[in-house]
Amino acid sequence: MNSFINYPPFSVLLSLYKKEDPEYLKEALDSVFAQTVKSDDVVLVEDGRLPGNLEAVVCDYESRFPALHVVRFEQNRGLGVALNEGMKYCQHDIIARADTDDINHPDRFEREIAVFAEHPEYDLVSAWIDEFIDTPDHIHSQRRLPEKSEDIYQYGKHRCPVNHPLAMYRRSAVERVGGYQTDLFPEDYYLWMKMLKAGSKFYNIQDSLLAFRYNPQTIKKRGGWKYAVDEAKTQWRAFHELHYLSFTDFCFNVSIRFTTRIIPNRLRQLIYATMRKVAK
């Protein structure tokens, strides 16, 4: 830890769903509490009632880490709602998102909060992600993203410009554009588009700071007519309401994305694998 940097305080925000694996949750929480720069405010939202084995893990960490504050909701209302509600419980304006099945590198918070300390003009800082299968040593692929805000703005017109599980952002900037859009999917992509269009400055650290648990079944879940239609709605609003996309951008994105969603899963997996290799 660099003792010469005056790090601003920040909260950590996680959302937990009943289908999470208890062992994955332990690894994720361990990685949050083992950071070189720690947060004094870790907010965990239980998005609906949890099974006993998951609740036991939460209670164990709640008893051992005073910084952990658990917000329990009886009903599952989806990630966007859970994060919007969870932000209300965060004590600090800067919030680090974290997922309950990924493993943060030990210096993730330190490197991200250092950017905020040195560049107060930024509203969001993120980084690259290593996708792994089975163990973090088995890296499957890497999600690389552009560094500077101008390039991020252009990149966001065709692909999601931020790795959400690594995002650290100013709550004030998120709330200024209305927070996560709970009636659109994916919720985070539309939020980034709203923020960029509103003038927020982003920065992506050009290094991987997270081990992301890759599951080939995830690609299967990203297919089907419902997913395709939901994504088309997001693109339409980005064009029609935000004016972030041109009509040409909208048509191009929908044609590519819609086709990708409705093709057979095996072919979709091949396309994703090719995209990841190119991104390396």
Side-chain angles (χ1 to χ4, degrees):
M1 177 168 53
N2 189 336
S3 59
F4 297 102
I5 297 179
N6 184 21
Y7 297 106
F10 64 95
S11 299
V12 181
L13 178 60
L14 307 95
S15 177
L16 179 61
Y17 179 54
K18 66 181 180 180
K19 292 186 178 180
E20 188 60 89
D21 185 303
E23 292 304 315
Y24 294 170
L25 176 60
K26 291 178 183 178
E27 290 183 307
L29 290 175
D30 284 343
S31 75
V32 166
F33 291 112
Q35 292 288 305
T36 55
V37 170
K38 296 177 173 58
S39 171
D40 63 351
D41 181 46
V42 179
V43 176
L44 174 67
V45 178
E46 293 185 357
D47 188 19
R49 299 186 66 179
L50 304 178
N53 57 350
L54 264 182
E55 184 62 33
V57 173
V58 174
C59 290
D60 174 46
Y61 280 80
E62 193 176 19
S63 67
R64 291 193 288 122
F65 295 95
L68 179 61
H69 311 294
V70 182
V71 180
R72 294 177 170 89
F73 294 127
E74 287 293 314
Q75 301 296 324
N76 169 249
R77 293 182 289 173
L79 180 62
V81 174
L83 295 179
N84 282 338
E85 291 296 314
M87 280 192 286
K88 299 176 183 178
Y89 291 86
C90 292
Q91 297 175 14
H92 307 300
D93 184 50
I94 297 177
I95 298 174
R97 274 284 292 117
D99 278 351
T100 54
D101 60 349
D102 300 326
I103 303 172
N104 298 277
H105 291 193
D107 61 346
R108 177 213 158 172
F109 293 166
E110 179 179 3
R111 293 184 65 180
E112 289 183 331
I113 200 63
V115 176
F116 278 103
E118 297 172 2
H119 297 278
E121 71 272 19
Y122 289 133
D123 285 326
L124 182 147
V125 176
S126 190
W128 297 348
I129 280 177
D130 285 332
E131 298 176 320
F132 72 93
I133 298 175
D134 299 327
T135 67
D137 296 331
H138 184 190
I139 302 299
H140 173 266
S141 53
Q142 191 175 70
R143 289 193 219 166
R144 293 188 175 188
L145 295 170
E147 180 180 13
K148 300 294 180 63
S149 197
E150 297 80 5
D151 296 327
I152 292 170
Y153 185 96
Q154 294 302 323
Y155 185 92
K157 292 183 177 183
H158 300 293
R159 297 179 65 183
C160 186
V162 173
N163 284 320
H164 190 203
L166 265 175
M168 182 180 281
Y169 48 62
R170 297 187 190 276
R171 174 173 53 189
S172 53
V174 171
E175 292 178 341
R176 192 158 54 240
V177 297
Y180 289 90
Q181 198 79 27
T182 58
D183 63 336
L184 290 179
F185 185 85
E187 306 94 339
D188 62 304
Y189 188 5
Y190 194 70
L191 173 59
W192 314 144
M193 288 192 285
K194 288 194 296 182
M195 293 176 69
L196 288 167
K197 182 62 180 179
S200 285
K201 301 298 183 183
F202 289 11
Y203 183 80
N204 282 319
I205 295 170
Q206 301 295 283
D207 195 8
S208 179
L209 298 181
L210 181 86
F212 180 89
R213 204 174 296 275
Y214 177 86
N215 184 343
Q217 289 302 310
T218 302
I219 305 302
K220 185 176 183 180
K221 294 177 183 177
R222 293 176 181 173
W225 284 97
K226 184 180 185 307
Y227 200 111
V229 170
D230 286 346
E231 201 167 51
K233 289 179 180 177
T234 300
Q235 294 292 318
W236 171 252
R237 288 181 66 169
F239 157 67
H240 183 67
E241 296 182 11
L242 288 184
H243 307 295
Y244 177 63
L245 303 179
S246 68
F247 185 67
T248 302
D249 290 331
F250 165 74
C251 292
F252 176 82
N253 290 350
V254 170
S255 63
I256 296 297
R257 290 169 177 272
F258 202 92
T259 302
T260 304
R261 301 310 176 195
I262 62 175
I263 60 176
N265 184 58
R266 183 169 296 181
L267 183 56
R268 184 165 50 252
Q269 287 182 325
L270 179 61
I271 292 172
Y272 270 81
T274 302
M275 290 170 61
R276 290 293 188 262
K277 288 177 182 177
V278 169
K280 276 187 160 185

